[in-house]
Every structure is written in C-alpha cells, then in structure tokens.
Amino acid sequence: MTWVSLPKYSEAYSNGVTDFIQNAFDNFATGSELRCPCKDCSNRFWFSEEDVYDHLVSNGLCPSFVNWVYEVSTPKFKKVDQEMDCDSGMVLGEDFDKMIRDESRVRNGMNDTAKRFYKLVEEGKQPLYPGCEQFTLLGFVVKLFLLKCTHGFTEGAFSGILKLIKEAFPDVNLPSSFKVAKNMIRELGLDYQKIHACPNDCMLYWGENLNLTKCKFCGVSIWKLPKNRTDAPVSPDLEEKKSKVPAKVLRYFPLKPRLQRLFMCKDYSKLMTWHALERTKDGKLRHPADAEGWKSMDANHPNFTADPRNIRLGLAADGINPYRSMNISHSTWTIILVNYNLPPWLIMKPENLILSTLVPGPVYPGNDLDVYMQPLIADLKELWEVGLQTYDAYADETFMLRSSLLWTISDFPGYAILSGWSTKGKLGCPNCHYCTSSLYLKHSRKVCYMNHRKFLPPDHKHRFDTRRFNGKVETDVCPPPLSGKDIEELLHGYENYFGKRDAKKRKRGADCLFKKKPIFFQLPYWRDNLIRHNLDVMHIEKNICDKIIGTLLNMGGKTKDHISARKDLQEMGIRKVLHPIKIGDSNRYEIRAATFDMMKKEKESFLHYS
C-alpha cells in the first residue's frame, strides 16, 4: 500500500483513500458511519463516508493504524470486527481475532481458566447465521452492546431488538434477551461486581460483613427508606413486603481476570515483557522502568523481578461529574489502574487503562475512600503473596502471575485523600511534613509556605540574597522526606474511624497529623516503595501557568499581585518599594508597579480601593 506515504494533494493518494473507504464501509460501517482513522480522530469518533474522506485528505492517516488500513485495502481482505470493550480496555476486534487464531495452535499446558476461555471463544466465533461471513455471534453481540452504551438503550429496548431480529430472521444465532447476552459477556471476564455500601461511608457489605443488613457502626439500614418513613422499628411482615432498593452501591471491576486476559493474546503477551527485553537501557529516562522508584522495587524484591511478566501498576484516582450540566453538584470517584509493562507509546492509550472501581456520588468520599478500595487492595495483596495461575499465549505455557502497585497519581486534594496527610493548613506540604515553613497572611487570608531557599545547595548565592527575599540569610537545610517505614512507625497502633457518624472520634490521635492510616500499608511492599504518591502534570502545568501569566500581565481576578498582597508585604516588613501608599484619610491606596509587571511604561502606578 503505497498511497499512505504519498503527498496528500496527489491524485494517487486521493484514489487510495477512495479505495480504502469503499472497502472499509463494506466491512466495518455501523449503519452509514465508520470510525475515522485520521490523525485527529485516531479511530475514536464515527463519521459518514464523506467526512472520513475529508479527514484523511486534510489530516492524513494516524500512524498507529497504518497496518490496519493496509489490511483493509488488501484485495483478499477478510472481515475483522473492530469494536472496543469499554469495560476493560481490551480491543475486541483485531486483537480478539488474533486470540481466536492463536487458540487453534495452543492446547497443551493451558490451565482450566484458559481452556474455559478458549471454549467460550470457540462458541462465540460461530457465524451469526449459516453461511454468514461478515459477523460472528460474539462480534455481533459486542456491536449491539456498543450501540446500547452509545445511544442509551434500556434493557427492555435491547431485549426487544433481539426479539425482533429473531422473528424476522429465524436462523439468526442470537441470545434471546439482554440477560442472556450479558451472561455471555460475563463468562468472558468482562463483568463487574455490585457491592452494597453504607450511605454514610462507614463500611462495605463485603467479606465478613456480606450478610449484614445494617451498618455495624452507625446502624443505618442497607436499604433505602421511603420518604415518609423514619428510623422507627417496623414489623417483620411489613418489612418483607417493602421493595428493597440498596442505599448505595459500589461497582468493582475484578482485577485478576483482566490481568489474565492480557496474556491470552499472543501480541499483548509479548508486549508485557517489553520493559525488560526490548527497552533501550542507556541511562536516559524514557520509561517508568528507568526511574529510581522502579529500580528500588527491583532491588528490594528480586524474586518479583525475576519474571519480567509480573505486572507493575499505577493507581490514578479523581472525582468526575457524570452529568453534562456542571450546575449539578455531583462527584463520582473513579479509580483507574495503569499498566506500566507496556511500551511508553501504549501505556496511556485509553484502551490500555484498566477501570477498577466506581465510587458512587453525589458526595465525594474524602478520607473514606479507603473503605471503597478494600476489594482492590485485597486483590493486589493476593496477587503479590500468592500469585495467579495464568496462561501465556506467546510462550505457550502457564505461569504464576504476580503484580505490584508502584505509586498513586492524583491532584493535590486527591494526594491528601490517598496519603492521609492533610494538604491544607500550616503543615500542608507533604514533602516537608513537620518541618514545613508556613505563615498566615492576614490580608490575603491564606496560608503561605515560605523559606523555599532551604532546598538550594548550601553555597548557592540566593541563600545570601536578603534584598530580593525576606531580608534574611537562609540557613535552614532541606528536611528529609518521610519514608514509608517512618510513616508506618508514626501510625503504629493508629485506629481508623471512617464514615460521617462521629466527628469527635475522627480526631483521636491529635498528636499525629495524619488523618488516617492509608489502606495501602496493607500491601507488604508499600513501606519499601521509594515514591508512593505523585501529582499529575496537568493540574501543575495549568495552575502554575495561569498564575504566572495572570501576574505578569496584571490580569484582573487572576493576578497574585493585588492590594492584599502588598499589605501583607508591609505587615512582614519586606520589599518596602512595593508597600502600598495610603492617600490621605480615605481608603484609597496607590501602589507602584513591580519590576515583573508587563504594563505600559507610561503607567507607573494604579489606584486601588481597599
């Protein structure tokens, strides 16, 4: 296929795009639309034939889909379903067909889970009807599920569509209802668990609490109560007649079957060892495996490192508003796992991110997030201590898969929720911890963190610069960060109190500034991790850039150089040239422009009102 490398304005390129679109729409289109493989869309969005042609001619082809386009453009092309499994991040199209092709090659050495999986695949690849070459049973069901999720079909509508198709085409090999179709997908490991939770975030009805009907901490029922009902006792006969709806439901996507499924595709299984066998090792930071945190894990746990197929994960958590209208105050927390075994160009692809937990809203859980992470931590602990028997399609063998959690990723408020250390107040710096240098600004009404020069080398010239800073020579040294072992010793015997039931109990242990003992310390290796929590780049870049640009351009509402800041400088007795000058007996102040202010030269001062 030579047209991809040709100039986009050439006639040969245009003809190649036309041939590709004609073949692709014959085999891949859903209705009159196709996923566009241009650079901007990257096979994520659906467009009509004309729009796809315009995108490919104007934007060009995304490099990731050159091989796929080549297969589509080949005259001997055979149908491949290219749908995404939104639940797990696995491709159920090209990669899934590779699993099916590999299935006929591998039989010996498979464990029972793999044999059962391939048996289900064998049943799912049956033609939709006798002689059908376009769809398999599983491929068609996945397409229907995608349409259901995309267009918001109800379960009744989904079952009605299946019933109508079977009535119109009696020979079609389709499930009879939504429930049967869902069971078919569930058998392939694409299911999730519904776990009831206390509406006050005290506990999960899970594990030893599975059979309880009331919270053992606050006494609130597991079920929703009618609006006109109080907590007064109700007779058992009447209670049985009431329709029972759970008050709060956690949705957990089991981790172990998802990790097993990564190794059932030959190509994915090969990529899972890329970090050890194919990575360029020249001392440059190109992959998390080049970082000190990864190397520290390898040095502390050589048995885990011995098999490169063992998976290193990162945990990202943040709150989202699932509603389009931002006027609705709602916070649903998602916990997503990042697979770091893959090459760097695949790690952050949406299809390779593993959705682990959905914590329901509308109120964000805060420090009680640990309650909802119990199933995930239990799986991670078992994957470390026991392992999971997994079939490797690339090596054609069964091995014990283990997994570890390297670190978490969040914004700064999320850092406090995951680590247990409050990121607000006088000791709000997790790195400086008890040695944080802070000052409350009276006029700005906020806490400012000072003495940043202590992080500089002892002989740095800025340490001795008194005019540009606080008028003093900086003699403090950089405080050592708290290691995992230090935190574990500080929190020894600390008792967590979760839920919104008793605020006084949560203040126990006032001598310790941690709000809780993080659940991550249940993992045997967490105390040895060099880096346990990370801040995401997006918030840091955006917030810092906004404040710097707003201050340099003196943008109203965004600048940090305002009248309150100038009064705080006067209160501190530093940078006298920037102090505000009061005009007469009024409340008006005149302030001189700072040297960093990019204002017009003829304007040397502004008048502000206090």
Side-chain angles (χ1 to χ4, degrees), residues 186-286:
R186 181 185 292 115
E187 292 295 327
L188 291 170
L190 310 181
D191 192 27
Y192 63 89
Q193 298 175 2
K194 291 182 178 180
I195 303 175
H196 294 178
C198 172
N200 291 329
D201 302 330
C202 302
M203 56 168 277
L204 292 180
Y205 296 93
W206 172 82
E208 61 181 10
N209 303 322
L210 182 61
N211 298 322
L212 299 181
T213 58
K214 289 186 177 180
C215 177
K216 62 184 182 182
F217 298 106
C218 66
V220 175
S221 174
I222 187 177
W223 310 111
K224 281 185 177 180
L225 301 176
K227 294 182 179 179
N228 58 352
R229 173 182 164 182
T230 64
D231 289 337
V234 182
S235 63
D237 296 337
L238 182 61
E239 182 69 27
E240 291 180 359
K241 295 180 181 179
K242 294 289 183 180
S243 59
K244 296 181 178 180
V245 179
K248 200 168 189 178
V249 179
L250 168 73
R251 286 164 175 82
Y252 173 63
F253 300 80
L255 176 61
K256 292 186 286 186
R258 281 161 174 76
L259 298 185
Q260 283 180 317
R261 205 163 62 244
L262 291 173
F263 291 91
M264 290 182 181
C265 173
K266 181 180 176 181
D267 290 349
Y268 259 80
S269 180
K270 183 179 180 181
L271 288 172
M272 293 298 288
T273 60
W274 182 93
H275 66 95
L277 304 180
E278 301 182 36
R279 175 173 55 92
T280 302
K281 302 175 183 178
D282 57 358
K284 296 181 180 179
L285 185 60
R286 293 189 176 95

Side-chain angles (χ1 to χ4, degrees), residues 153-173:
F153 293 168
T154 63
E155 295 182 9
F158 192 93
S159 299
I161 291 173
L162 292 176
K163 183 178 179 181
L164 180 63
I165 295 175
K166 289 184 71 69
E167 289 178 357
F169 307 97
D171 296 333
V172 171
N173 183 22

Side-chain angles (χ1 to χ4, degrees), residues 417-430:
I417 294 174
L418 293 172
S419 68
W421 182 275
S422 176
T423 55
K424 300 177 181 178
K426 295 183 178 181
L427 301 179
C429 177

Side-chain angles (χ1 to χ4, degrees), residues 367 370 410-437 449 480-483 486-487 490-491 494 510-518 520-521 532-533 535:
N367 284 325
D370 284 13
S410 63
D411 55 12
F412 204 46
Y415 190 114
I417 294 174
L418 293 172
S419 68
W421 182 275
S422 176
T423 55
K424 300 177 181 178
K426 295 183 178 181
L427 301 179
C429 177
N431 193 62
C432 296
H433 47 87
Y434 295 95
C435 303
T436 301
S437 301
Y449 302 100
L482 289 176
S483 66
D486 295 334
I487 296 175
L490 283 172
L491 298 177
Y494 189 94
D511 55 329
C512 179
L513 296 180
F514 281 89
K515 301 297 182 182
K516 63 181 178 181
K517 183 175 182 179
F520 298 108
F521 281 97
R532 294 170 300 282
H533 304 284
L535 296 177

Side-chain angles (χ1 to χ4, degrees), residues 8 42 61 69 91 103 136 204 217 295 366 412-413 456 588:
K8 290 184 291 186
S42 298
L61 178 68
V69 171
V91 177
E103 177 268 339
T136 62
L204 292 180
F217 298 106
K295 295 177 181 178
F412 204 46
L456 297 174
R588 299 176 66 190

Side-chain angles (χ1 to χ4, degrees), residues 453 455-465 469 473-474:
R453 290 180 293 168
F455 292 96
L456 297 174
D459 58 346
H460 198 282
K461 63 179 182 180
H462 285 336
R463 280 181 170 268
F464 307 97
D465 191 340
F469 295 96
V473 175
E474 183 59 63

